[in-house]
Amino acid sequence: MFLNTLEGLNIFHQDIPKFPMGKYAHIIVLRETNSFALFQTDGELNISRVSLGREAQSPATRIVLFKRKQSTPERLTGRELLRRYEQVEHCQYNSKDFCKRCPDCIYYGFAIGDQGSERSKVLVDSAFSITNYDTSHQQFTFNAPSENGTMSEDGKMKTALGEQDYVLPEIYFPSVVTIKDPTEAEFIYVLNNILRTKRYGAQNTRTGTVENHIIGVVFSDGEIFSNLQLTQAIYDALPPDQRIKTPLSRPAILTAMGEVIPTLLREDGIVFRLFADERLHTLLQEVTQITSDETRLVALLKQATGEANAYARVYGVDMVKEAKSKK
């Protein structure tokens, strides 16, 4: 095994299984904006009207970080590594040119119309801001200066002005990333993608920096609470005088998460192992030692590529089509 911390716990598969086998790894993440971010559709920030808490049932509008706006940057981070260390060739994301056999294709899934699809083994859902929309965004007016850096050209003032809503820095989005029936290499691969990804949303070449704080890792025999349930429970657990402040106190959020996560897990009625606090620190430290050492990282990526290729050879789209054609 790569991770001595988890040795002997029987939480990983040796090979990627064809059918669901009831092993889950949940990575609990607190996503914190570190710059002005754009989580939008059709030019407007994504928002939703929901209850503030599970106990505090007052309705409010929260900013939403849609599921694909989380998973897409993270899987692209993994693809970069696969290309850098020559573990994938001729595989293009979100097109008809998926290779259908690399770790990204097999772990995160793909759909190519009538050419078939692979169901994602990494489950991500939309995340909600802890604070409400009114205190979590700001509207800015932007312009388009000329090459000399001014708003005039040939003695005439330009009129290229516009307005855009941005998510403020230090806005928090609790999120759970679930891996169904993981192998050890798959777990480290997905966790490393989360830790390495720094930019999310639109215009991410100019803004959208996000820091992902890993708050806990849960190994269980079933799914756990939703992102919205977690966000509402955190809101309830925050001191009343701190719920409306922007930015929220990160230590206060971390304290609240430490209180509510075990409670929510017990409510789920599943068998689970929670890694938090010192146990989590030891696990993350071991993961980081692997992913920051080039030799060990390449070995991990080769392991992931080997098991993804083996799965594709036996259960992949091309093998299913071939089997059907022989009937």
Side-chain angles (χ1 to χ4, degrees):
M1 292 186 65
F2 290 98
L3 299 172
N4 296 326
T5 306
L6 304 179
E7 193 168 8
L9 296 183
N10 191 29
I11 53 181
F12 297 126
H13 292 286
Q14 292 297 314
D15 304 293
I16 303 172
K18 179 181 180 181
F19 300 108
M21 302 292 288
K23 289 185 179 182
Y24 291 78
H26 309 277
I27 303 168
I28 303 173
V29 188
L30 182 64
R31 305 186 189 277
E32 175 190 2
T33 56
N34 281 177
S35 65
F36 293 96
L38 273 174
F39 307 141
Q40 65 177 16
T41 303
D42 298 328
E44 296 183 355
L45 290 180
N46 297 314
I47 58 176
S48 180
R49 191 80 171 166
V50 295
S51 298
L52 281 170
R54 300 205 304 166
E55 297 174 2
Q57 286 288 304
S58 302
T61 301
R62 282 187 158 111
I63 298 175
V64 181
L65 176 51
F66 277 162
K67 49 191 180 297
R68 288 190 181 278
K69 296 186 186 301
Q70 299 171 65
S71 61
T72 295
E74 289 163 8
R75 65 186 298 180
L76 293 179
T77 295
R79 281 175 163 267
E80 284 185 1
L81 283 177
L82 293 173
R83 291 194 188 99
R84 175 182 173 88
Y85 295 110
E86 300 178 344
Q87 297 303 304
V88 66
E89 294 181 13
H90 312 302
C91 185
Q92 187 172 339
Y93 176 68
N94 211 13
S95 74
K96 292 184 178 180
D97 296 322
F98 279 110
C99 70
K100 300 178 281 189
R101 63 178 181 274
C102 71
D104 177 76
C105 287
I106 301 303
Y107 295 161
Y108 289 93
F110 60 85
I112 323 177
D114 59 1
Q115 295 185 39
S117 63
E118 179 67 44
R119 187 178 178 85
S120 177
K121 297 156 188 61
V122 182
L123 312 183
V124 182
D125 204 348
S126 297
F128 299 81
S129 60
I130 299 175
T131 46
N132 63 37
Y133 170 72
D134 292 339
T135 59
S136 302
H137 81 109
Q138 185 171 341
Q139 189 174 75
F140 291 94
T141 299
F142 61 87
N143 55 37
S146 61
E147 190 171 343
N148 62 15
T150 69
M151 284 301 295
S152 64
E153 190 170 7
D154 297 328
K156 298 180 180 179
M157 288 299 295
K158 299 179 68 177
T159 58
L161 298 173
E163 292 184 338
Q164 179 67 65
D165 268 349
Y166 288 88
V167 181
L168 290 169
E170 297 185 41
I171 300 300
Y172 297 90
F173 296 82
S175 178
V176 178
V177 178
T178 296
I179 313 170
K180 289 189 69 173
D181 294 305
T183 63
E184 184 187 27
E186 180 180 3
F187 170 74
I188 301 173
Y189 179 87
V190 173
L191 178 56
N192 183 51
N193 290 348
I194 295 171
L195 291 170
R196 283 180 180 244
T197 304
K198 306 298 183 185
R199 292 180 184 269
Y200 294 78
Q203 299 182 10
N204 61 17
T205 59
R206 299 291 185 269
T207 187
T209 306
V210 173
E211 184 176 1
N212 291 320
H213 306 280
I214 307 300
I215 306 304
V217 174
V218 180
F219 299 100
S220 69
D221 63 353
E223 288 207 55
I224 63 173
F225 46 81
S226 69
N227 294 341
L228 181 57
Q229 288 175 314
L230 177 58
T231 302
Q232 291 171 331
I234 294 169
Y235 180 87
D236 286 335
L238 287 172
D241 63 327
Q242 294 193 25
R243 294 173 179 172
I244 58 175
K245 292 182 179 179
T246 302
L248 293 175
S249 163
R250 189 199 300 167
I253 297 174
L254 296 179
T255 298
M257 293 187 78
E259 293 173 0
V260 304
I261 287 172
T263 301
L264 291 172
L265 287 171
R266 287 191 293 269
E267 290 178 6
D268 286 329
I270 56 175
V271 177
F272 67 89
R273 289 187 180 91
L274 170 61
F275 282 72
D277 301 324
E278 189 59 38
R279 294 179 74 195
L280 176 66
H281 175 74
T282 302
L283 173 60
L284 293 180
Q285 193 173 43
E286 193 171 10
V287 169
T288 303
Q289 288 172 352
I290 295 168
T291 57
S292 60
D293 182 306
E294 188 172 50
T295 301
R296 299 178 73 187
L297 175 60
V298 171
L300 171 72
L301 295 176
K302 286 183 177 179
Q303 173 70 24
T305 301
E307 66 188 31
N309 288 175
Y311 175 91
R313 283 195 300 270
V314 180
Y315 307 120
V317 169
D318 293 336
M319 295 307 299
V320 172
K321 282 187 174 182
E322 184 179 333
K324 287 182 178 179
S325 66
K326 292 179 179 179
K327 292 183 178 179

